[in-house]
Amino acid sequence: MQELIVHLNKRRTIVMKVIIALAVVAIIVSFNFKITPTAYFGGKYNAYLIYGLIIYKIIELSILYYMLLHRHIAYIKKNADHTKRLVKLKKHSKLLLFLIPQGNTVFGIIAYKLSGNVYYFLLFSLIALITVLLIRPNRFKSDRD
């Protein structure tokens, strides 16, 4: 169990560095290039689409966290035999730590293109960073470890 926690802490710090690096790249791109907002439907629904993306991403991250991590943590804390769950926990936690920056980067690019404002990309990066910070692998320890 301890080696899984150490491995996930390393992966978590790598993911945080990737998120910060993508945010820095977005800032550099915004200074060097002018992104014009899209004009779908005359551009009058762009703000609604962006707010919908933000709400969707927050709901999606909550569901992903529950489906991929929380139920495994609860099972490990309740049951003495958790060797079978460790394989699933390792696989699902890697998947979650991959999906968080990947999904938020895609949604951030979409919001950036819809608005022409880098702040929306940075908002999605902040959501990803907060989510990764809230996932603490040290909580995976059961009382029996």
Side-chain angles (χ1 to χ4, degrees):
M1 177 66 98
Q2 188 61 32
E3 75 178 51
L4 174 66
I5 292 171
V6 169
H7 178 72
L8 290 177
N9 276 324
K10 287 180 186 177
R11 183 176 289 268
R12 183 175 166 241
T13 56
I14 291 170
V15 167
M16 285 190 279
K17 289 176 184 176
V18 165
I19 293 169
I20 292 169
L22 288 171
V24 169
V25 167
I27 291 171
I28 293 170
V29 166
S30 74
F31 284 140
N32 292 320
F33 300 104
K34 174 70 175 144
I35 304 293
T36 57
T38 58
Y40 300 123
F41 306 111
K44 60 182 176 179
Y45 299 112
N46 288 357
Y48 296 120
L49 288 172
I50 292 169
Y51 298 142
L53 288 174
I54 292 168
I55 292 169
Y56 174 81
K57 185 47 81 173
I58 291 171
I59 292 170
E60 178 195 29
L61 287 175
S62 302
I63 292 170
L64 281 175
Y65 173 75
Y66 178 77
M67 295 295 293
L68 296 177
L69 282 183
H70 182 75
R71 62 189 177 123
H72 296 299
I73 295 169
Y75 181 86
I76 287 172
K77 287 186 178 186
K78 284 182 193 175
N79 298 318
D81 182 29
H82 52 43
T83 55
K84 292 179 183 177
R85 265 309 156 117
L86 284 178
V87 175
K88 283 185 181 180
L89 176 63
K90 186 174 183 177
K91 179 180 162 186
H92 287 174
S93 57
K94 283 182 180 180
L95 179 64
L96 181 65
L97 289 175
F98 167 75
L99 288 175
I100 291 171
Q102 184 261 351
N104 282 24
T105 301
V106 169
F107 276 47
I109 291 171
I110 292 169
Y112 186 20
K113 184 62 181 160
L114 283 172
S115 69
N117 193 346
V118 74
Y119 294 125
Y120 288 111
F121 184 88
L122 296 176
L123 176 66
F124 279 100
S125 296
L126 181 66
I127 291 170
L129 193 62
I130 290 171
T131 305
V132 171
L133 286 172
L134 290 176
I135 297 172
R136 295 184 311 269
N138 293 333
R139 292 187 308 172
F140 295 168
K141 292 181 183 178
S142 66
D143 297 331
R144 291 167 290 284
D145 287 341

